[in-house]
Amino acid sequence: AAQLEASPRPLSTDEEPTALEHITNYNNYYEFGTGKEDPAKKAHTLTTEPWTVKVDGLVSRPAEFDLEDLLKPVTLEERIYRLRCVEGWSMVIPWVGFPLSEVLNRVEPLGSAKFVAFETVMRPDEMPGLRAFFNVLDWPYVEGLRLDEAMHPLTILTVGLYGETLPNQNGAPIRLIVPWKYGFKSIKSIVRITLTEEQPPTSWNKQNPREYGFYSNVNPEVDHPRWSQATELPIGQGIFAKRKPTLLFNGYADQVAQLYAGMDLTKFY
Amino acid sequence: MSKALRFRLLRAALYWVGFAPAVWVFYLGFTNQLGANPVRTLEQELGIWTLRFLIATLMVTPLRNVTGISLLRYRRTLGLLTFYYALLHFTTYMLIDYRLDLQAIAADIVKRPYITFGMLAFAILVPLAVTSNDRMVRRLGGAWAKLHRWVYLAAAAAAVHYLLVVKSWPMEPLVYFAIVAVLLAYRLGKHLRRRRRPAVA
């Protein structure tokens, strides 16, 4: 991985980051298998150069950016964020990225745009999970945000980790990070960003709408139908790691709660 | 070597081999070699070994019927290994994962189907393990066989427990579920055939 220049910014948490070894060896990236260590073992087959990201839909200036062109005008920042997986574990990760809003502003969303849809690359010949006996998800992986969520300063496109370019298993070369939502919302290896008027379909919601909603905000009060979300197990703290209470919006309530003012979070889970 | 001595030696060997995975995974756990989420890995390993020994126990009869190889004398050992692994799995969940947070555990049992099924399987295995000695076999007579048929329900509950604990449909829980389903269907098929054919006087 190559070194990245990044300036630290105030939006970071001051918690101790999880070890790089764990961040890069405990992943959910089903395109490379459903085991936690499958992505670390198998994702090296993904070609990340050259890479283009298409930004289209309800925008005045749709474009297909080469990754270099996408990154040229932005200032990379280090953002140390908490990550809470819907499965009940958590990490603290020093990402390197920039606000998604910078890309969206560049293409000039139309007034009719209300949502942003994202799509992961789909290459069966490079992704063994896509050649599996049967599909665990409907490929390609898709995700979505409301436009105001996408424009929020905490929402970033990420190209690095611990000061270096992203390893493939972590979603290289460019992925989304939305720190107040369960990890699966933070889609990996993005090839397309589309602004839409209607709420776009999202992969886990399609797979099981009762268990995974469109919003998927971290919320200790709203349990997954099959397990509690009240606590989480921090990764990388050995066999005697203690569960800790999960925080509303993953601890980012001060910054994001107003996005959901007046909404019933049990209904819009 | 007498037959009895040979049996006892083989049985002891089976225990040693049977416990090896548990010793190994606890060793890795306590020396911090179980990776990013050691508690989950520990639970999963002990759980999968419980299911493996349960399947091995249920294989004894069909194996004899199909191939003529009888491991009937080792079935009790396999059954007890199943129970010991279930106990380790259960204890790990209670002590290491939830640190005896009884309120959270009680809520889990009531609200989480996968925990409910797991607890059901374990609750069935307890009386089976307790009544597995010769004295109880003699004392319970015909009731013993009836009681021990509950193992089928335990197996079904354990397979469902594994299926429900994962986020989507990965291969392993489906494979174990299919094996248990085949073994139970085999039993059910035999049972139905026997009932349809009246006993010859």
Side-chain angles (χ1 to χ4, degrees):
Chain A
Q3 288 288 325
L4 291 170
E5 279 291 318
S7 55
R9 286 292 160 100
L11 288 164
S12 290
T13 162
D14 50 13
E15 285 163 67
E16 189 63 36
T18 307
L20 180 64
E21 178 205 341
H22 297 318
I23 297 174
T24 54
N25 284 288
Y26 195 75
N27 306 104
N28 282 324
Y29 196 166
Y30 283 13
E31 284 85 336
F32 298 100
T34 52
K36 289 285 183 287
E37 290 174 7
D38 287 345
K41 282 184 207 136
K42 297 175 181 169
H44 60 89
T45 50
L46 181 69
T47 323
T48 56
E49 271 186 70
W51 194 270
T52 56
V53 181
K54 190 176 184 178
V55 190
D56 61 356
L58 301 173
V59 296
S60 327
R61 306 174 56 189
E64 193 152 356
F65 296 102
D66 284 326
L67 189 61
E68 303 85 81
D69 298 333
L70 194 71
L71 298 182
K72 218 170 278 167
V74 305
T75 311
L76 294 179
E77 299 172 31
E78 176 163 75
R79 298 273 186 109
I80 305 173
Y81 279 169
R82 284 182 288 275
L83 175 97
R84 168 64 155 80
C85 179
V86 73
E87 297 164 348
W89 50 266
S90 63
M91 296 185 184
V92 176
I93 306 182
W95 301 111
V96 177
F98 59 97
L100 170 65
S101 61
E102 292 185 16
V103 172
L104 298 179
N105 287 334
R106 228 183 296 168
V107 295
E108 295 169 11
L110 300 175
S112 53
K114 298 282 182 292
F115 293 91
V116 184
F118 303 87
E119 191 179 309
T120 295
V121 70
M122 182 163 93
R123 290 189 198 142
D125 48 330
E126 295 183 1
M127 299 172 135
L130 304 188
R131 308 191 298 264
F133 177 63
F134 65 76
N135 289 335
V136 283
L137 290 168
D138 184 17
W139 312 111
Y141 195 91
V142 289
E143 257 307 334
L145 295 172
R146 229 166 50 188
L147 185 57
D148 59 344
E149 297 176 324
M151 296 298 284
H152 194 281
L154 280 175
T155 305
I156 55 171
L157 285 173
T158 301
V159 293
L161 173 62
Y162 266 108
E164 298 193 344
T165 50
L166 279 179
N168 283 1
Q169 62 267 37
N170 293 91
I174 185 162
R175 67 172 296 178
L176 181 72
I177 294 295
V178 196
W180 69 93
K181 292 174 181 284
Y182 292 118
F184 66 86
K185 293 292 290 181
S186 294
I187 184 169
K188 300 186 177 82
S189 308
I190 298 169
V191 290
R192 190 172 178 191
I193 300 173
T194 308
L195 284 92
T196 64
E197 189 165 2
E198 304 292 327
Q199 181 177 305
T202 59
S203 286
W204 279 100
N205 180 249
K206 283 196 283 181
Q207 204 259 4
N208 196 334
R210 203 174 66 88
E211 297 188 352
Y212 310 100
F214 175 78
Y215 286 94
S216 291
N217 291 316
V218 174
N219 191 335
E221 303 290 322
V222 179
D223 284 341
H224 185 280
R226 289 185 284 135
W227 55 79
S228 165
Q229 296 292 27
T231 59
E232 62 201 50
L233 192 78
I235 291 298
Q237 300 191 2
I239 200 167
F240 298 114
K242 201 169 182 282
R243 278 179 181 275
K244 56 180 195 183
T246 289
L247 302 172
L248 180 61
F249 298 116
N250 203 21
Y252 298 95
D254 287 351
Q255 286 117 295
V256 301
Q258 87 282 354
L259 294 173
Y260 311 101
M263 278 174 71
D264 179 353
L265 296 176
T266 314
K267 199 169 154 216
F268 298 98
Y269 55 96
Chain B
M1 200 191 308
S2 78
K3 244 182 156 177
L5 179 62
R6 203 181 59 173
F7 165 66
R8 286 172 68 166
L9 283 174
L10 280 172
R11 187 179 58 181
L14 184 54
Y15 271 123
W16 280 103
V17 173
F19 278 123
V23 171
W24 179 238
V25 75
F26 273 108
Y27 166 76
L28 291 179
F30 286 116
T31 53
N32 212 357
Q33 296 180 70
L34 278 186
N37 197 342
V39 178
R40 182 66 76 92
T41 308
L42 189 60
E43 279 171 346
Q44 279 175 351
E45 285 298 312
L46 294 170
I48 286 176
W49 279 101
T50 309
L51 204 45
R52 285 176 187 154
F53 281 114
L54 188 48
I55 287 169
T57 312
L58 292 179
M59 293 268 272
V60 169
T61 300
L63 182 74
R64 191 186 51 175
N65 293 346
V66 174
T67 67
I69 300 168
S70 177
L71 299 176
L72 211 53
R73 286 193 303 178
Y74 301 98
R75 189 165 64 178
R76 179 186 298 174
T77 308
L78 291 170
L80 280 170
L81 279 167
T82 307
F83 171 72
Y84 293 134
Y85 270 90
L87 185 64
L88 289 171
H89 178 64
F90 171 81
T91 312
T92 301
Y93 164 81
M94 297 278 283
L95 291 183
I96 299 180
D97 195 346
Y98 276 87
R99 300 180 169 225
L100 273 185
D101 181 349
L102 294 177
Q103 211 178 333
I105 292 166
D108 264 3
I109 296 173
V110 180
K111 282 168 77 178
R112 322 279 163 222
Y114 79 96
I115 296 288
T116 320
F117 279 102
M119 290 291 181
L120 173 68
F122 183 62
I124 293 171
L125 292 180
V126 173
L128 304 194
V130 169
T131 58
S132 65
N133 54 63
D134 289 335
R135 206 164 51 87
M136 290 305 276
V137 176
R138 274 195 302 272
R139 213 163 106 185
L140 291 173
W144 189 91
K146 239 181 200 163
L147 175 68
H148 279 250
R149 252 175 245 150
W150 282 81
V151 73
Y152 304 131
L153 184 62
V160 173
H161 167 67
Y162 188 18
L163 213 52
L164 285 178
V165 81
V166 290
K167 200 162 64 180
S168 96
W169 300 99
M171 215 52 203
E172 294 84 353
L174 289 170
V175 169
Y176 281 96
F177 185 83
I179 294 172
V180 170
V182 167
L183 287 170
L184 296 191
Y186 175 83
R187 251 43 171 236
L188 189 68
K190 269 191 80 120
H191 176 71
L192 291 177
R193 269 200 305 279
R194 221 176 1 227
R195 268 183 37 179
R196 212 170 299 149
R197 204 169 20 191
V200 184

